[in-house]
Every structure is written in structure tokens, then in C-alpha cells.
Amino acid sequence: MAHHQVFLFVCTIIALLASYSSLASAAVVEHSFHVQNRTITRLCRRQVITAVNGSLPGPTIRVNEGDTLVVHVFNLSPYNLTIHWHGVFQLLSGWADGPEFATQCPIRPGHSYTYKFNVTGQEGTLWWHAHVSWLRATVHGALIIRPKKGNSYPFPKPYREVPILLGEWWNANVVDVENEGLASGGAPNNSDAYTINGWPGDLYPCSVNQTYKLTVKHGKTYLLRIINAALNNQLFFKIANHKMKVVAVDAAYTDPYVTDVVVTGPGQTTDVLLTADQAPASYYMAANPYASAAGVPFDNTTTRGIIIYEGAQTSTPLMPILPAFNDTPTAHKFFTNLTGLVTGPFWIPPPRKVDEHMFITIGLGLTACNRQGNATCGGPNGQRFAASMNNASFQFPDKISMLEAFFHNVNGVYTTDFPNQPPLKFDYTNANNSMNPAIIMTTKSTKVKKVKFNATVQIVFQNTALIGIENHPIHLHGFNFHVLAQGFGNYNPAVDRKKFNLFNPQERNTIGVPVGGWAVIRFRANNPGVWLMHCHLDVHLPWGLATSFVVENGPTPSTRLPPPPPDLPKC
């Protein structure tokens, strides 16, 4: 055999072995979710909640990168239900993404549906949650993606990994709370507590024994996988006398960043390394809200858990000094100091050429009351609260999902005229415009943005002062995006474009657009289908702070959305 033939033969064998090794290391991970109502006791009272497998939070899912996840969902609750796998790319598996009437119709009470998708090209901490009404307050859990077997983290292996889910609690049925707000057109009631891994902590009534506790060994390093599963609040998180080293956000590795405070918006995740290097004792971990909207009532309470050093004498835990509720400088410093790890296993530089430039104003507004008789609505000026992007207040269809309409070419479900610019230019962050009747009214529509497969999209999110100025966490389904820059005031391209980080920007799936400010993101639309983009404050999603991207099919069979599963729920 000639030398070049031997060489080709050896190369082929190596390639086959590598392929076999990759296939052999991938697994099918299977779970069953039984979703039903149960009664639990919190804050001195018994409360009916909807939960998965009877637990709050729900079960933690652990997979390795490259695995296939299969989850059988049995809806034994009285409510319609879908599950969203928050941050999972869903490459060519958009049917499994989960948001109600975006990619599927709901799973009706008494029915079931099986989600099946591959988890590829990402590692780190994500989570799953209900994507119907406010059910995600209690229907949620961690989704942890470890490196493929044989691969390692881009940091020293921790002694132990611990999910820390920050949640929000109501002394009421959350579906009723939402429905009361929607019926009145006003703001729904604020929560009564925050929680750490389902427990409110000892600052709340009847909660001394409902406090999360983590025992640590002196000198060991722990990977805390922090998930903000709260519905409507961004949170500060601190541990008394301890520093944390951020190593990933939203399942994307970061340059290590040492901090004594983590700031996290609803939907965001933050992986930190915590070294138990203090004197053996007890220390509180605590979270309280970052409430950026001035003059707006919010749940101003604090949840806390306890870190206990193994072998330490019983003592009163030390309490961290938490930031003020409106400490925007601390929040902005945290968010802007994060950068992407260019040596990470899945790092992709931000695309340089932009095909679609979008400037999207986001904020609250009002829509006509439309109530019968002499009744008034609960929003300002007797109108209904609404929210919008570029003054289009998004309304979901209710007869068929947008993804089914896209796949089957069904007309009349959505329109592709979502504007690239707001219809009116004004001084966006000037509080004098807060109640300007000429610009705060909006109307309902189902407008989406259509883009070609593999197009690069750049979005400037511009916060507005309409009704009130606040930080908005915006979540994009189906993609990570690079955060190129963020700042305060009105975006000025002549000045602010020079601030773009095109070398090592952080990657995220949820961005907190600064209060009274702007943020610029960029992503490549390399996944065909319909992908929701919305505010992850659940109070604002039903009000219409959303739109969707319809990404056209690619030119080859491997870049086209496959047909829907035969058992996809019907409307």
C-alpha cells in the first residue's frame, strides 16, 4: 500500500474512532414531570401551589453537553401548561422550546406531552419553567449542563456544585393574582416574600425552620449555580465576609471576575466559585430586590439562608450588608464588568458584518379601557396598563401557535411588519414625557420581525421614561447574543458606537437594559423557526412587552425546521 494510502487509511480510522467516542459519550437523559396542585405551609399559612413532582423548586435536571433530553410532562393541574427550557438553543428543535402560542399550544389539564431535544454547544447553568401565566412562580427548576465526559471546566474542578434558586412567594394563588390584575387593567399585587431554594428564611414570620442551610468544609471551593427564578424582581445576592468569583453567566463562560455582590435579573443565571476560606462559623447568604423604578411599590423584604462551616461552634450567623434597593451604580458595575472567556470551549467572536439594524424602544404605556358601563380600569387616567416595543404591544394568537403558522404557511396569525425603528422619535429618557398623552397610548397587535437564515441582527434597546423608568430584563429565545455595550440616557451612535466591545463581550440570553438607558446586542440568526423576545418580568409579558423573530429556513435540509412531532398539543 502506498504511503499516502496508508496515511488516508489511518486518518479515516482516527476520524471514525473520534466519531464513535463522541456518540458513545452522549446519553439519553429521561425525566417525568407530574405537574399538580399541592398544599404547602409558608409564612404561617397553608397555600395551594402548582408544583412538579411535589417539590419547590422542581427537580434539578443534569445532562452532559451533547446529551439528548427527554421529559414526559403529565399535566395533572387545573391549568393549561407548557414548559420552556430557558436558554437552551433548540437547534432545529424549535417545537420543544415551549412558550404558549409561540411554539406550541398548551398541554390541557389531564393531558401529557413529551419534550425531546439535544443539548449541544453550551455548558453551564440554565433552568426550566412554566411558560403559561404566572405558573413559573412555583413550576421551575435548574437545568445543569456539564462538559462532555472526558472534558473539563475552564477553571479548577470545584469540590461540590450547589444550585441556588432565588424565588418569589405570594400568600395567594398566583394565577388568581395575575387574573385580578389583568381584569382590572392595573398592576397585580406584589409578592409577600423572596425565597432561597424554596425557603423564605428566618426574617419572615413562622420561618425560622424554613431557612435554607448549606454546610461547607473549610478550604474547599464550591460552584454555586445561582438562578433568578423570581417573577418580577431583580435581586442583589451577598454572602457575609466572602468574595465570589463569577465564571459564567447564562451558560456562557466569563473571564473570572471577583465580587462581593451578584446582581441578577429574572431569567438570568450566574455561576460563582465560593471558597470557604473564612473562620469556621455561620454566615448568612441573603438576597433583596434591586428596584430601579422610583415611586413604584415593590416587595422590599429580604430572604436569607445560612452557610455553616463543618465543625463550627453554634453561633449567630454574620449578616452581609446589602446594597440599597435603588443602588443602580452597583448593579451597573456588576453587569458591565463581565467579559466573555475567549479561550472557552464554545466561544464565538461577535460577527463584524451586520445585516439587520434595529432600534427598539421598550417601556410601559396605556391602552384604551374598553370596559362595559361606567366601570373604570385600574391603570393611570382610568386606562389599562400596556407595554410595548416600538409602540407595538404584543398580543399572542390563541387558535394556533406562531411556529405552526410559520411551518404550514398559515396566514392571518401574525404580520411581519414589526418596525426596525420606533414610529416617533422623542427624548426617550426624559421623565417629563412620563405621562405625555401623545406618546403613552399603544395598541395591541401580533407583529413579528422576519429575518433571513444566518443573518446578523444588531439591536439597540432604548429604555423609555413612559409611565416609569426601570431596568427591563429582555430574554431572547433560541440564541445567545453578545452584549456590545450599555449605558445611560439616550443612545448616541456617534459617541456610543466607540464603546462597543468586539473582542471579548459577554454572551447572554437575558439582558438587563439599564434604567433610563440603553444596551446593544448582536446575534446570528442561524436557527430557523419562531423565537420569542420578551421582558422576563412576568407582570409585563401579558401587558405586551414582547415581539418575535421569524427566522427563515436555510438552503439545505440540515438548515430547515423539521416537521412538528405528531403528538404536538393541539389548540
Side-chain angles (χ1 to χ4, degrees):
M1 193 183 291
H3 287 299
H4 73 280
Q5 289 175 307
V6 172
F7 177 75
L8 286 173
F9 177 74
V10 171
C11 287
T12 303
I13 292 299
I14 290 171
L16 286 170
L17 286 172
S19 173
Y20 175 76
S21 172
S22 175
L23 288 170
S25 66
V28 175
V29 178
E30 202 161 356
H31 286 262
S32 289
F33 281 8
H34 294 87
V35 188
Q36 59 194 112
N37 283 5
R38 61 162 298 198
T39 303
I40 65 173
T41 301
R42 293 288 189 278
L43 275 57
C44 315
R45 57 182 287 160
R46 289 164 63 79
Q47 180 62 51
V48 176
I49 66 167
T50 306
V52 175
N53 297 353
S55 67
L56 176 67
T60 295
I61 291 177
R62 293 179 175 86
V63 296
N64 292 97
E65 190 272 326
D67 287 351
T68 295
L69 182 58
V70 178
V71 183
H72 309 285
V73 178
F74 300 92
N75 185 7
L76 309 174
S77 82
Y79 309 111
N80 289 342
L81 178 77
T82 68
I83 302 292
H84 170 50
W85 316 93
H86 185 113
V88 174
F89 293 152
Q90 300 291 1
L91 288 167
L92 299 180
S93 57
W95 300 106
D97 191 44
E100 181 189 35
F101 294 118
T103 61
Q104 69 168 97
C105 295
I107 308 167
R108 305 292 182 189
H111 291 74
S112 63
Y113 179 60
T114 295
Y115 292 92
K116 181 177 181 180
F117 53 91
N118 190 255
V119 181
T120 187
Q122 53 191 154
E123 295 171 3
T125 304
L126 296 174
W127 62 303
W128 56 266
H129 61 80
H131 213 295
V132 171
S133 69
W134 278 23
L135 286 179
R136 77 173 169 93
T138 53
V139 179
H140 63 251
L143 199 171
I144 294 168
I145 310 167
R146 292 197 176 108
K148 194 170 289 184
K149 286 184 172 62
N151 295 352
S152 59
Y153 296 122
F155 47 81
K157 185 179 179 183
Y159 176 71
R160 192 178 152 207
E161 303 178 16
V162 184
I164 302 288
L165 284 90
L166 306 176
E168 208 168 356
W169 176 265
W170 277 260
N171 283 331
N173 180 314
V174 291
V175 175
D176 293 344
V177 173
E178 182 195 22
N179 287 340
E180 286 162 10
L182 291 174
S184 72
N189 291 340
N190 289 318
S191 56
D192 296 288
Y194 300 105
T195 57
I196 298 176
N197 287 344
W199 301 110
D202 56 9
L203 287 175
Y204 296 99
C206 305
S207 301
V208 171
N209 295 323
Q210 297 195 335
T211 302
Y212 173 71
K213 295 176 181 176
L214 172 63
T215 302
V216 299
K217 287 187 175 184
H218 191 273
K220 298 294 186 183
T221 297
Y222 296 78
L223 176 61
L224 304 186
R225 298 178 176 275
I226 302 167
I227 298 167
N228 186 341
L231 256 67
N232 294 321
N233 281 282
Q234 298 164 93
L235 296 165
F236 294 116
F237 176 84
K238 292 186 77 171
I239 301 171
N241 280 24
H242 288 75
K243 299 275 192 183
M244 295 171 279
K245 184 185 289 184
V246 178
V247 291
V249 293
D250 292 2
Y253 291 117
T254 63
D255 286 316
Y257 172 59
V258 177
T259 178
D260 68 344
V261 61
V262 165
V263 192
T264 175
Q268 293 183 326
T269 71
T270 309
D271 289 1
V272 302
L273 295 175
L274 170 74
T275 300
D277 56 4
Q278 297 300 299
S282 295
Y283 301 86
Y284 278 118
M285 62 174 79
N288 72 346
Y290 165 46
S292 59
V296 176
F298 63 96
D299 177 354
N300 63 358
T301 61
T302 300
T303 180
R304 61 188 188 183
I306 305 174
I307 289 180
I308 305 167
Y309 276 69
E310 205 172 82
Q313 298 294 315
T314 302
S315 61
T316 302
L318 288 173
M319 179 67 182
I321 299 171
L322 289 161
F325 298 126
N326 62 349
D327 191 346
T328 290
T330 290
H332 190 65
K333 178 186 176 186
F334 179 84
F335 286 133
T336 55
N337 276 358
L338 299 173
T339 50
L341 184 67
V342 298
T343 56
F346 299 108
W347 170 258
I348 297 172
R352 296 302 180 106
K353 177 179 172 292
V354 176
D355 303 299
E356 295 275 1
H357 287 272
M358 302 182 73
F359 184 94
I360 299 179
T361 54
I362 55 177
L364 301 185
L366 300 174
T367 190
C369 181
N370 291 336
R371 289 187 76 158
Q372 302 299 316
N374 295 323
T376 59
C377 289
N381 302 337
Q383 306 294 340
R384 302 182 67 86
F385 271 120
S388 66
M389 293 184 173
N390 280 351
N391 205 40
S393 187
F394 194 79
Q395 183 166 287
F396 284 89
D398 59 4
K399 301 290 191 297
I400 183 177
S401 76
M402 292 188 290
L403 189 58
E404 288 174 280
F406 164 76
F407 186 85
H408 296 295
N409 293 313
V410 178
N411 293 322
V413 178
Y414 57 78
T415 59
T416 57
D417 56 344
F418 181 84
N420 283 347
Q421 306 284 332
L424 180 70
K425 290 186 178 180
F426 59 97
D427 188 358
Y428 304 113
T429 56
N430 185 340
N432 291 331
N433 280 323
S434 177
M435 296 303 294
N436 183 338
I439 54 178
I440 62 172
M441 298 304 291
T442 181
T443 53
K444 295 290 181 181
S445 59
T446 312
K447 295 181 179 181
V448 306
K449 170 67 177 177
K450 194 172 185 179
V451 297
K452 295 201 174 300
F453 177 79
N454 229 23
T456 294
V457 181
Q458 179 175 295
I459 303 173
V460 178
F461 289 117
Q462 176 65 63
N463 238 324
T464 64
L466 303 183
I467 307 294
I469 311 174
E470 66 180 315
N471 184 302
H472 286 99
I474 303 296
H475 171 48
L476 176 62
H477 289 228
F479 305 95
N480 276 1
F481 49 76
H482 292 96
V483 181
L484 302 187
Q486 47 194 312
F488 296 101
N490 296 330
Y491 175 74
N492 180 346
V495 175
D496 295 327
R497 199 177 285 136
K498 296 170 185 172
K499 302 173 185 173
F500 285 10
N501 178 359
L502 294 170
F503 170 65
N504 65 342
Q506 61 180 289
E507 288 183 84
R508 301 210 78 126
N509 61 56
T510 306
I511 171 77
V513 181
V515 53
W518 52 269
V520 183
I521 69 167
R522 192 179 288 182
F523 70 98
R524 192 184 299 282
N526 58 359
N527 195 5
V530 176
W531 305 104
L532 194 60
M533 183 174 74
H534 64 96
C535 182
H536 219 266
L537 300 175
D538 260 28
V539 68
H540 291 164
L541 180 55
W543 289 352
L545 194 51
T547 186
S548 287
F549 284 94
V550 173
V551 180
E552 295 178 353
N553 279 305
T556 63
S558 63
T559 57
R560 301 181 70 82
L561 181 71
D567 59 340
L568 191 73
K570 301 290 186 281
C571 290

